[in-house]
Amino acid sequence: MYQVTAIYQNSEIGYGEGEGLDYAIEDCAASISPMFENEIVTMSILENDETRQISGRVYIRVNGDIAVGI
C-alpha cells in the first residue's frame, strides 16, 4: 500500500493512496486544486514505513484531469 501526499510551501494540498504507486500518485494528483497549475510540488511517498520525496510540476491534461509531471 502506498500513501502519497502533495506538499506546496509546507502545506498539504493533495492526498492519494493505492496498492500501486502509479495509482496512488494519480489519486493524489486528482485531489490537487487547479489553482496550483504550473507550480512545483513535492510528492511525499510512504510505503512500508519508508518515506521518499520527489518533485514535479502540476499541469492540467487536455481532458481536464490534474496531473503531476515527475
Side-chain angles (χ1 to χ4, degrees), residues 6-70:
I7 301 165
Y8 178 74
Q9 294 184 352
N10 297 321
S11 296
E12 180 180 320
I13 61 167
Y15 176 81
E17 59 184 31
E19 293 297 324
L21 180 57
D22 290 340
Y23 179 83
I25 290 173
E26 287 181 21
D27 190 37
C28 179
S31 70
I32 297 172
S33 169
M35 70 183 268
F36 292 102
E37 184 178 14
N38 290 322
E39 299 293 346
I40 301 294
V41 298
T42 299
M43 306 290 271
S44 179
I45 302 166
L46 176 64
E47 178 195 20
N48 300 329
D49 296 328
E50 185 177 319
T51 302
R52 55 190 158 146
Q53 295 185 337
I54 53 176
S55 294
R57 184 174 302 278
V58 176
Y59 65 95
I60 300 176
R61 295 180 176 155
V62 173
N63 66 2
D65 290 347
I66 303 282
V68 177
I70 301 172

